[in-house]
Amino acid sequence: MIRSIRSGLFDAGATALSRQQSALSKVQERAMTGLSINRPSDAPDRLAEVHRLRAANADQVQWSANAERAEGLLSATDLALGSVTDLLAEARQFTVNMLSETHSAATRATQAQRASQFREALIELANSDIDGRYLFAGSDYGDVAFDPSGVYQGDTDIPSMEVGAATSVEVGADGSDVFQGAVDVFAVMDALGTALQTNDTAGLQAVLADIDAAVEQVIGHRVRLGGHADVAEDALEVSTGLQEIFGQRMDELTTADPAATYTELAELQGSYQATLQVVAKGARDSLFELI
Amino acid sequence: MSVIGALRTSARGLGAAAAGISVTSQNVSNVNTPGYARRSVEQSTMDPVDRRGISYGQGVSVDRIHRASDALLGARYVQARGDSAYAGALESALKVPEGYFDESSSTGIVEAYDAFFDAMDALAASPTDHSLRQGVVVAAQGFAGIVSRTAEGLDDAIAGLDAQLEGGLGDVNRQLGEIAALNDAIAARRGEAPDLMDQRDQLVDEVAGTLGALAEYDASGQLTLYVGGHAVVSGGAARTLSVADDAAGVAQLYVSADSGRIAVTSEVGGELGGVIAAREKTQGYLDTLDAFATAFAGALNSQHAAGFDPSGAAGGAMFSVAAVDAAASLRVDASLAADPDLLALAGAASATAGDTDNLDALRALGEDSSIFAGGSGHDVLSTLVSTVGHDAASASSALESADASLSDLGTLYESIRGVDSDEEAIKLLEYQSAWRASAKVLAAADEMIQDLLGI
């Protein structure tokens, strides 16, 4: 049998109190910060997963931001092309009107300036920008897409944005393809002006056909942009969903469960008080007090 | 047996009881003295005297004052004491480097690394955006700052541990000399020197706490003390321990030998052993960080130099890093820090504004596992942080285990040699009763003699 000695009670009490204090301080820290990982040693294995999740979440945040920005750029581009379509429709109606036999050659000549106005408006639309980013300048979007004479200043590369893992969407347009592809809309307006000046009704008829082809050309690009906008929207939805999942998992890994933490805190405080009382009572009960 | 003989026998009983009370008094007064082993009176019946065929008892004799001890348990306790001190020092020392890896929020070194590449990802969406270029530079400065601060912190921690090691020997050499002297003194008294043994055990306990030690006691009570497998006290001779820098300027621990000195740095235990182990681990963290900084800056600078800024000029350095203390010296290049437009994102001098060929190549370095040994930069840093956490957690567990072992052995050891005040109170009553009984017999014998003299 092990011989029990009185000083052992104090030694054991001191050791137990020290351990309990250490455990208490850890639980108190969890309760105060609300975090289950306050330093690497709290959960070194979980930490690696937290790092991976944070990195993956940061990617999703960036892709969400890119998708939103892509949607904005694509929407602005589509809006500009919508205006181009409207302007071409207006030019077409004007051309139809000018074909009327009620117009004299002189009237047609005086209306030739409208063709120049259409042309200038189209160039203005082709130079649409958002915060200095020219939508139809290809990847050279730092400068205007077309100079005042209608010469293309951009390039043929279409910029894109990453909106997911191995997923990109085009966020601009090659202006030379949109406005000067199969049909050169500026040249069509030039032809309209020339036909009006020269009272060339056959020429006006040809312009009508060119305007229709130009509208088809623009609509084709709008359809393409719409496809990219759909990809961006889908990517945004996926990214947002993944951020929620990653966020929940990170919370599970790093957030201290309040109920469990406070229960543990109460248990530790109880055992700490009990140990204190045992040591204090042991100190009072000495045989020397009785003799 | 004569009445006079009874007087003598009673006197011996009184003496034995008084010796018991004296030893009890010594025990009670040393109840809290570190290293004190309880004493007890060993007494025996004196040889009887035969007279006319009748054997008369001569009372009691006090043979010796016994010092409670257990050589085997004592040796195990000394070893456990060293193990506990080692674990305590290691656990305490590793809290310092762990403090430099603040991973409780998103401000840790791994997050800063990811944030730098995230900023480049953001820039890829709009490479002409000046604020996003500025964002890349700021994120780069943030990451370089964390790497630099962490490395400086680790360096300070190592310097602190070196200072602890250099000053840690403290009184050890004096203590070893005193143990050797006590060995001599105990031998001179043929092992019957309980107070000296107490002193020696207390000194051994202190040396074990500082260096870890293995104690061996021989039958004559002589102690041989080993540190790292080398006898530092043998009989009346003590070796000298010293700390000196090695060729690399790293403090090492030596024990004197007949032919010079022997390095025992990697063999010692106790508090200094824990300090040495913590220094090695901290140095390992710093080495990892230095290697990372060198490879990181080299790869980023090389790729950046392959690109072109908006003016068509080739890229300069992105980071500056020194050959020595690389991590602590990591900074964003001063020119780039002053002008984010120097970021060389394009793949060609005549490239358009949206050309991100080189930026894409720079971004790809974030996931490139060929730059570092051990995966991508993220993986290397994440592994480093996990290693720091594992080491600190292991040290904490080892301390709990060592303390529990020490506590158990301590309880066992104290149960043999410790003073129990209740037990001493009972002994006091026993000796007091024996003394009173002997006094009563003495008084009775005296009365009988008086009666005889009065006839």
Side-chain angles (χ1 to χ4, degrees):
Chain A
M1 192 178 87
I2 293 178
R3 176 174 160 269
S4 175
I5 62 170
R6 170 168 290 277
S7 62
L9 168 70
F10 300 111
D11 292 342
T15 305
L17 286 172
S18 169
R19 281 184 196 157
Q20 287 166 351
Q21 267 184 335
S22 173
L24 254 176
S25 69
K26 281 190 175 179
V27 178
Q28 280 170 338
E29 187 180 36
R30 283 211 306 272
M32 284 188 291
T33 61
L35 297 171
S36 61
I37 302 177
N38 288 288
R39 58 185 60 73
S41 59
D42 288 339
D45 290 326
R46 269 192 287 157
L47 203 56
E49 189 180 350
V50 171
H51 285 151
R52 280 194 297 274
L53 282 169
R54 280 180 181 161
N57 196 55
D59 285 343
Q60 296 301 334
V61 168
Q62 185 56 52
W63 287 332
S64 290
N66 286 358
E68 283 179 356
R69 181 154 170 75
E71 281 189 326
L73 288 169
L74 288 165
S75 172
T77 309
D78 186 60
L79 195 66
L81 289 179
S83 299
V84 170
T85 312
D86 292 344
L87 197 62
L88 288 173
E90 191 182 336
R92 186 181 196 288
Q93 187 57 51
F94 170 74
T95 307
V96 169
N97 291 344
M98 286 297 107
L99 273 169
S100 170
E101 290 179 3
T102 57
H103 289 305
S104 65
T107 305
R108 286 186 177 122
T110 56
Q111 289 297 318
Q113 60 171 341
R114 287 293 305 279
S116 299
Q117 288 167 355
F118 285 134
R119 188 181 196 281
E120 284 169 14
L122 282 167
I123 288 176
E124 194 175 329
L125 285 170
N127 283 332
S128 298
D129 75 293
I130 290 183
D131 300 329
R133 180 177 176 129
Y134 291 90
L135 304 175
F136 299 103
S139 67
D140 198 8
Y141 48 71
D143 281 317
V144 292
F146 293 91
D147 69 9
S149 63
V151 175
Y152 187 54
Q153 304 296 305
D155 66 8
T156 56
D157 293 332
I158 302 176
S160 61
M161 281 186 187
E162 280 182 16
V163 293
T167 307
S168 296
V169 291
E170 293 180 355
V171 289
D174 167 10
S176 65
D177 192 31
V178 175
F179 294 95
Q180 295 173 322
V183 181
D184 184 338
V185 294
F186 307 134
V188 172
M189 293 304 121
D190 288 339
L192 174 60
T194 304
L196 289 171
Q197 284 283 3
T198 58
N199 197 29
D200 177 6
T201 54
L204 288 174
Q205 285 289 356
V207 164
L208 266 184
D210 286 345
I211 288 176
D212 288 343
V215 169
E216 286 301 314
Q217 181 170 294
V218 171
I219 286 172
H221 283 287
R222 290 185 72 183
V223 169
R224 181 182 62 78
L225 292 171
H228 287 301
D230 288 344
V231 172
E233 190 179 344
D234 290 346
L236 181 59
E237 200 175 318
V238 169
S239 261
T240 307
L242 284 174
Q243 282 174 58
E244 201 171 315
I245 291 167
F246 291 160
Q248 283 171 357
R249 180 64 185 144
M250 279 195 287
D251 279 349
E252 285 170 14
L253 290 171
T254 61
T255 306
D257 176 4
T261 303
Y262 287 112
T263 304
E264 194 178 351
L265 193 60
E267 282 174 358
L268 282 170
Q269 280 171 334
S271 61
Y272 185 75
Q273 287 298 327
T275 308
L276 275 178
Q277 284 175 3
V278 166
V279 174
K281 184 166 171 47
R284 283 200 302 271
D285 297 338
S286 169
L287 196 53
F288 275 106
E289 302 285 328
L290 305 174
I291 60 175
Chain B
M1 170 131 184
S2 67
V3 176
I4 297 296
L7 272 176
R8 287 187 190 131
T9 302
S10 302
R12 289 190 191 104
L14 279 173
I21 290 171
S22 169
V23 166
T24 301
S25 161
Q26 169 81 350
N27 284 343
V28 169
S29 44
N30 283 292
V31 68
N32 292 322
T33 304
Y36 180 78
R38 73 191 162 93
R39 316 283 200 261
S40 58
V41 175
E42 282 189 2
Q43 58 187 45
S44 61
T45 307
M46 288 186 72
D47 291 339
V49 175
D50 291 333
R51 283 187 190 154
R52 299 187 197 112
I54 301 171
S55 180
Y56 293 97
Q58 295 292 302
V60 64
S61 83
V62 174
D63 299 332
R64 64 190 281 250
I65 306 299
H66 174 70
R67 175 180 178 268
S69 68
D70 182 324
L72 183 63
L73 199 54
R76 284 175 60 197
Y77 178 77
V78 165
Q79 195 169 359
R81 173 85 169 82
D83 291 346
S84 173
Y86 174 94
L90 180 62
E91 193 256 0
S92 173
L94 287 182
K95 280 182 180 166
V96 177
E98 189 188 15
Y100 291 108
F101 293 92
D102 176 19
E103 302 300 315
S104 61
S105 63
S106 57
T107 55
I109 195 166
V110 180
E111 279 64 39
Y113 175 85
D114 290 339
F116 168 57
F117 284 95
D118 289 342
M120 288 207 283
D121 288 345
L123 181 58
S126 193
T128 56
D129 189 326
H130 185 78
S131 64
L132 291 177
R133 283 174 170 264
Q134 185 70 50
V136 169
V137 171
V138 168
Q141 286 173 319
F143 174 60
I146 285 180
V147 170
S148 176
R149 280 196 301 278
T150 304
E152 283 170 1
L154 294 177
D155 206 34
D156 286 347
I158 291 166
L161 291 168
D162 273 341
Q164 235 178 304
L165 181 56
E166 281 161 8
L169 281 178
D171 294 333
V172 164
N173 286 320
R174 179 187 58 77
Q175 289 163 341
L176 293 177
E178 285 180 13
I179 291 170
L182 285 165
N183 255 352
D184 273 347
I186 291 164
R189 296 184 192 193
R190 295 190 183 86
E192 292 297 328
D195 290 338
L196 300 183
M197 287 175 164
D198 283 350
Q199 287 176 35
R200 188 179 63 181
D201 280 0
Q202 184 56 27
L203 287 167
V204 168
D205 186 70
E206 288 169 16
V207 171
T210 308
L211 288 170
L214 184 66
E216 276 183 8
Y217 298 87
D218 66 16
S220 67
Q222 286 292 283
L223 165 77
T224 305
L225 194 65
Y226 295 91
V227 168
H230 304 280
V232 290
V233 174
S234 180
R239 297 288 180 183
T240 305
L241 286 139
S242 60
V243 175
D245 285 354
D246 64 10
V250 179
Q252 302 289 345
L253 193 60
Y254 299 94
V255 60
S256 63
D258 291 343
S259 55
R261 62 186 190 182
I262 304 164
V264 290
T265 311
S266 58
E267 299 170 61
V268 297
E271 193 180 333
L272 284 188
V275 167
I276 290 164
R279 187 185 68 175
E280 283 173 5
K281 286 194 177 296
T282 310
Q283 185 64 55
Y285 308 149
L286 184 56
D287 290 346
T288 302
L289 212 51
D290 279 336
F292 170 87
T294 303
F296 171 80
L300 268 291
N301 285 347
S302 173
Q303 189 58 56
H304 193 248
F308 298 88
D309 68 19
S311 72
M318 210 167 180
F319 291 93
S320 63
V321 67
V324 180
D325 297 332
S329 72
L330 187 67
R331 301 280 186 280
V332 172
D333 178 76
S335 302
L336 181 62
D339 182 8
D341 282 337
L342 293 180
L343 275 172
L345 311 181
S350 58
T352 56
D355 182 348
T356 60
D357 286 353
N358 200 48
L359 175 60
D360 293 341
L362 287 167
R363 290 166 61 207
L365 295 178
E367 301 295 324
D368 193 333
S369 56
S370 66
I371 302 168
F372 312 99
S376 68
H378 172 100
D379 294 338
V380 169
L381 293 175
S382 182
T383 302
L384 173 62
V385 174
S386 289
T387 302
V388 171
H390 269 298
D391 287 346
S394 299
S396 185
S397 300
L399 176 60
E400 274 182 32
S401 171
D403 276 353
S405 177
L406 180 66
S407 177
D408 289 348
L409 272 171
T411 302
L412 201 58
Y413 196 32
E414 283 303 300
S415 79
I416 288 168
R417 67 171 196 165
V419 176
D420 178 45
S421 55
D422 289 345
E423 190 178 87
E424 297 303 323
I426 292 166
K427 281 187 176 174
L428 184 63
L429 290 173
E430 277 178 11
Y431 290 128
Q432 212 172 5
S433 300
W435 191 88
R436 278 179 185 156
S438 290
K440 290 265 185 196
V441 172
L442 190 67
D446 180 54
E447 203 174 316
M448 288 167 70
I449 290 170
Q450 292 305 322
D451 286 348
L452 283 173
L453 290 174
I455 291 174

